[in-house]
Amino acid sequence: MRVLLLNNVPAPYFDPLFARVGQESGWELTVCYSSSWNQDVGWKAETVAQTVAHQTVILDRQRPWLKTKLGSSLTASASLLEILWRERPDCLLIYGYTLLPQMTALLWAMATRTPYVIAGDANLYNDAATGWKRFVKSFWLKLVVRRAAALLAVGTANRLFWQSYGARAERIFDARFAVDNEFFARESLARQTEAQRLRQTLGLAGKVVFLFVGRLVKRKNVDLILRAARQLNDERIAVVIAGSGEERDALEALAAENSQIVFAGNVAPKELPLFYALADALVLPAGREPWGLVVNEAMACGLAVVAHKHCGAAVDLVDADNGAAL
């Protein structure tokens, strides 16, 4: 079976999945990314890779001269149409439904009556569109859901989102986000001694360390962590912020050189187990978090988790035994 899979940009938690699907499915699999990089997602561009199990196509790189004239999104859509026309896949697996390449794939599938599977991480509790945007979104999504051969759900909040637009339970299949639990558990344990030394270096010895991992952008609500630490003003606790982003300067100003708050800057994925090893709890205060894979990572390393109750991962993974969803 010829299957074309469309995603926005390469992501470290999708690469192993797509490689395994290509190896074990028996499909003739083509993985298309609209773009090789988006500065907003926070991952390194070198995650793009060809594998023997499937071919990978970066759509907006196919016609560099066209990209100069039309821009990335239109170029990706034009390249995608060319591939669809040439390869005539038996099925499409489409991540997302709002961007032009995604809409191009969906409309092509509907027009040619090609079965398609729709996937995404939309969260019922974050579905806040109003007015005309709500009308347009509802019309489009109900059409997409009604015509879909199947829908993939990453968790309960995502499943409820699909059902709110008319998806029937028997057409929804679980495809949960996951991390390499063994890697994080093994590496965080192996780096305990190094973590203790880092605690000493950062002045965190003997403290209860609360860790945030992620981009420093407004929707993550990192300022709530800093305000809570300042309000508590307790020498027994400390906060480590691992990540960077547009809000960093404002957050550092809010911290006001508080010695209990440490900004570690960007941390490479392979170094994350070290930071989980030095912490006692992960804090993820983002209310509009579709999932939050750092919750999976932290739990694999044995940390307690404090997260917003509408965070996708918190809905399924956080309870009184391992943390708090507030």
Side-chain angles (χ1 to χ4, degrees), residues 99-111:
L99 301 180
L100 186 58
Q102 300 160 346
M103 296 175 73
T104 299
L106 288 165
L107 290 171
W108 188 90
M110 292 178 193

Side-chain angles (χ1 to χ4, degrees), residues 285-311:
R288 303 187 65 182
E289 189 71 42
W291 181 257
L293 276 166
V294 291
V295 172
N296 298 63
E297 295 171 355
M299 285 184 171
C301 297
L303 272 66
V305 173
V306 180
H308 192 285
K309 63 183 179 180
H310 290 160
C311 165

Side-chain angles (χ1 to χ4, degrees), residues 46-247:
E46 55 262 34
T47 56
V48 180
Q50 286 282 0
T51 76
V52 295
H54 64 76
Q55 64 170 321
T56 300
V57 180
I58 308 299
L59 293 171
D60 70 350
R61 287 185 180 179
Q62 299 305 297
R63 299 288 185 273
W65 59 271
L66 191 61
K67 184 175 180 179
T68 302
K69 294 181 178 180
L70 300 181
S72 178
S73 186
L74 281 170
T75 301
S77 298
S79 300
L80 177 61
L81 276 175
E82 182 181 352
I83 293 171
L84 290 170
W85 184 262
R86 182 178 68 245
E87 298 191 3
R88 297 287 177 145
D90 300 304
C91 181
L92 303 183
L93 175 52
I94 304 167
Y95 281 79
Y97 49 84
T98 58
L99 301 180
L100 186 58
Q102 300 160 346
M103 296 175 73
T104 299
L106 288 165
L107 290 171
W108 188 90
M110 292 178 193
T112 59
R113 297 186 178 181
T114 301
Y116 66 87
V117 179
I118 190 76
D121 58 5
N123 182 324
L124 175 72
Y125 304 109
N126 298 335
D127 190 13
T130 58
W132 68 268
K133 290 183 179 180
R134 163 60 64 182
F135 175 80
V136 172
K137 180 178 183 179
S138 181
F139 175 83
W140 173 240
L141 263 179
K142 286 180 179 178
L143 175 64
V144 167
V145 167
R146 185 171 68 250
R147 298 285 189 90
L151 302 102
L152 302 184
V154 301
T156 299
N158 185 217
R159 175 179 284 272
L160 292 173
F161 174 86
W162 293 131
Q163 290 178 329
S164 74
Y165 287 96
R168 300 200 303 269
E170 66 270 19
R171 286 196 179 183
I172 305 175
F173 298 85
D174 290 330
R176 300 188 182 279
F177 281 156
V179 300
D180 188 340
N181 289 330
E182 291 182 2
F183 166 79
F184 281 99
R186 180 183 67 249
E187 289 300 307
S188 64
L189 184 62
R191 303 187 75 171
Q192 285 292 329
T193 301
E194 187 180 353
Q196 292 304 315
R197 289 199 298 266
L198 184 56
R199 268 182 171 253
Q200 293 282 350
T201 301
L202 297 177
L204 308 178
K207 298 180 184 292
V208 177
V209 177
F210 293 89
L211 173 69
F212 171 85
V213 176
R215 289 181 293 140
L216 304 186
V217 294
K218 192 170 289 290
R219 76 171 182 85
K220 296 287 188 177
N221 295 333
V222 183
D223 63 301
L224 295 181
I225 306 174
L226 307 186
R227 295 180 195 280
R230 290 182 58 183
Q231 186 172 341
L232 284 172
N233 193 29
D234 190 330
E235 291 293 331
R236 296 172 297 175
I237 70 165
V239 174
V240 174
I241 308 295
S244 192
E246 61 194 39
E247 289 287 297

Side-chain angles (χ1 to χ4, degrees), residues 247-267:
E247 289 287 297
R248 177 163 180 169
D249 289 344
L251 293 170
E252 287 184 334
L254 181 61
E257 299 182 354
N258 189 321
S259 61
Q260 295 171 263
I261 301 172
V262 176
F263 287 84
N266 272 331
V267 177

